[in-house]
Amino acid sequence: MYAQLVETGAQRVRGTDELEGQERVFQERIDAGVKIEPKDWMPEGYRKTLVRQISQHAHSEIVGQLPEGNWITRAPTLKRKAILLAKVQDEAGHGLYLYSAAETLGVSRDALIAQLHAGKAKYSSIFNYPTLTWADIGAIGWLVDGSAIINQIPLCRCSYGPYARAMVRVCKEESFHQRQGYDLLLALCNGTPEQKAMAQDALNRWWWPALMMFGPSDADSVNSAQSTQWGIKLFSNDALRQKMVDQTVPQAEYLGLTIPDPDLKWNEERGHYDFGAIDWDEFFNVIKGNGPCNRERLATRVQAYEDGEWFREGLNAHADKQAARGAAAA
Ligand code: BYC
């Protein structure tokens, strides 16, 4: 049984032995690795946590199209353009599977989107940074999708069936995304000195925000203890962040790029890289809505939604007509 008195600096939850009635039966199922399905009984907190996390995840996929979509018309070759188009379309698909997974918990997609547009819902901090050069598209694939894979592979085994199943396909696609980003940077790093400098500049700007994607340190994570007990989180924020650093440093070396962290050093004893302090003020400032692009991102999403009104109306009118025909024929 892995879920005993789970505790972080910010949260302490009751272990299975301290629970009673339905809550205990539910926790025992989780401890035994049984998947929870939409019609099963679940504590209200479990449902709310999943709606929060899955909807934030869905919003991240949708808003996450913007920084890269910005470069589709400026991709340097037809091949790169086709790859980028496919990637951005994949992100839209991920958003749709995830909204569908959230809907199995009794909340509508419209309600979740309304929360996003009202500025009440979070989405990943990373998408509030600008994409200034073509190399940023490589850095996003390599570092952002790379971090996303590390965070999301364990989610394929999380306790909630619809979320776990949605993540399987998402992870397969993220793997292609990470690869295309690395390939793009490899081409730049093997190119002219100016192209290599552009790749280094992108790494300098994306490295720290990519590490922040994993969320606050374990000591400050308010949701980790409970999410771990419920089998939603299988590894802590800090453990996944460490994995990302350990995995990425040799990849940077292969590119011939320098990670912008003077404190980065292999620690023989720990068997991991030590790395410098993260600027948590910057992170909390971004998630409060004050990052470089928060306002622009939200305004773009709201505008896109309003521009699509005629299309939704058309679809609904068609659906109503079909339903009326069906009723008349019955
Ligand atoms: N950005 O207690 P904690 C992608 C919030 S999409 C913003 O550790 P939790 C991709 C957190 O929500 C990437 N907010 O929370 C797409 C909480 O606030 P609330 C998205 C963050 O939930 C397109 C508070 O801080 N991936 O990869 O246990 C193109 C305290 O945190 C962030 C997912 O959504 C952040 N970075 O852990 C390319 C994965 N970090 O809600 C790529 C699924 C924390 O209490 N999500 N916060 O008000 C998760 O695994 C977890 O929700 C997190 C946070 C690890 C992110």
Side-chain angles (χ1 to χ4, degrees):
M1 197 184 291
Y2 70 89
Q4 290 296 332
L5 284 186
V6 187
E7 191 164 0
T8 67
Q11 194 185 35
R12 176 193 180 280
V13 295
R14 288 174 298 159
T16 310
D17 297 346
E18 291 178 275
L19 299 172
E20 287 170 6
Q22 277 182 310
E23 256 192 282
R24 178 154 180 166
V25 174
F26 174 83
Q27 187 60 47
E28 282 170 352
R29 289 185 73 196
I30 302 244
D31 295 349
V34 177
K35 289 261 181 287
I36 306 301
E37 296 299 336
K39 291 199 171 127
D40 294 341
W41 184 87
M42 60 184 81
E44 186 52 18
Y46 178 81
R47 195 187 71 80
K48 280 196 177 145
T49 297
L50 281 168
V51 169
R52 177 182 66 79
Q53 176 165 328
I54 301 173
S55 62
Q56 285 175 3
H57 195 164
H59 299 329
S60 304
E61 301 284 357
I62 298 300
V63 177
Q65 294 176 98
L66 299 175
E68 292 176 284
N70 183 31
W71 276 89
I72 291 173
T73 53
R74 293 176 286 167
T77 65
L78 180 62
K79 184 178 135 196
R80 292 284 176 202
K81 182 169 176 146
I83 294 171
L84 184 57
L85 260 176
K87 179 190 190 294
V88 173
Q89 283 174 358
D90 284 352
E91 309 299 0
H94 298 175
L96 299 188
Y97 320 144
L98 286 162
Y99 284 127
S100 297
E103 283 186 312
T104 65
L105 293 154
V107 56
S108 74
R109 186 186 305 190
D110 286 345
L112 297 174
I113 290 175
Q115 284 172 9
L116 174 70
H117 292 175
K120 290 186 188 146
K122 289 194 173 73
Y123 58 86
S124 183
S125 49
I126 194 76
F127 302 117
N128 293 303
Y129 292 85
T131 38
L132 304 179
T133 72
W134 173 246
D136 288 13
I137 300 307
I140 291 182
W142 176 35
L143 302 173
V144 176
D145 290 270
S147 297
I149 295 171
I150 291 171
N151 168 273
Q152 291 170 19
I153 293 268
L155 290 174
C156 299
R157 291 186 285 121
C158 79
S159 60
Y160 189 56
Y163 192 26
R165 289 189 288 273
M167 292 320 295
V168 174
R169 178 160 170 188
V170 170
C171 284
K172 284 187 183 152
E173 291 173 351
E174 297 292 17
S175 163
F176 147 61
H177 298 169
Q178 195 266 356
R179 198 55 218 207
Q180 66 83 38
Y182 196 73
D183 181 71
L184 191 166
L185 285 178
L186 200 54
L188 289 179
C189 290
N190 288 331
T192 63
E194 288 81 4
Q195 286 174 320
K196 185 154 186 194
M198 194 160 84
Q200 180 65 55
D201 170 63
L203 173 58
N204 293 348
R205 285 180 291 105
W206 289 92
W207 175 252
W208 292 105
L211 294 193
M212 292 175 197
M213 283 177 72
F214 295 92
S217 72
D218 293 350
D220 292 326
S221 167
V222 288
N223 303 306
S224 277
Q226 185 63 79
S227 287
T228 304
Q229 192 192 32
W230 278 332
I232 297 169
K233 217 172 219 185
L234 303 190
F235 297 95
S236 79
N237 296 359
D238 285 336
L240 294 176
R241 190 171 7 252
Q242 180 72 60
K243 198 171 166 60
M244 142 71 170
V245 174
D246 291 347
Q247 176 175 307
T248 310
V249 173
Q251 296 171 352
E253 282 166 2
Y254 188 76
L255 290 172
L257 297 178
T258 308
I259 293 196
D261 178 358
D263 297 322
L264 186 79
K265 196 164 170 258
W266 176 251
N267 183 326
E268 194 61 52
E269 225 168 83
R270 290 199 314 123
H272 293 290
Y273 281 93
D274 290 335
F275 54 95
I278 291 175
D279 182 349
W280 291 116
D281 287 345
E282 174 180 324
F283 169 76
F284 286 112
N285 204 31
V286 172
I287 69 172
K288 272 190 212 128
N290 301 318
C293 301
N294 293 60
R295 285 170 192 81
E296 180 189 328
R297 297 284 183 248
L298 213 53
T300 309
R301 276 312 316 153
V302 171
Q303 185 68 50
Y305 189 79
E306 286 171 2
D307 290 349
E309 183 62 33
W310 67 272
F311 187 70
R312 287 189 299 280
E313 266 174 21
L315 282 180
N316 285 335
H318 179 69
D320 290 347
K321 215 169 177 183
Q322 292 290 92
R325 268 198 202 131

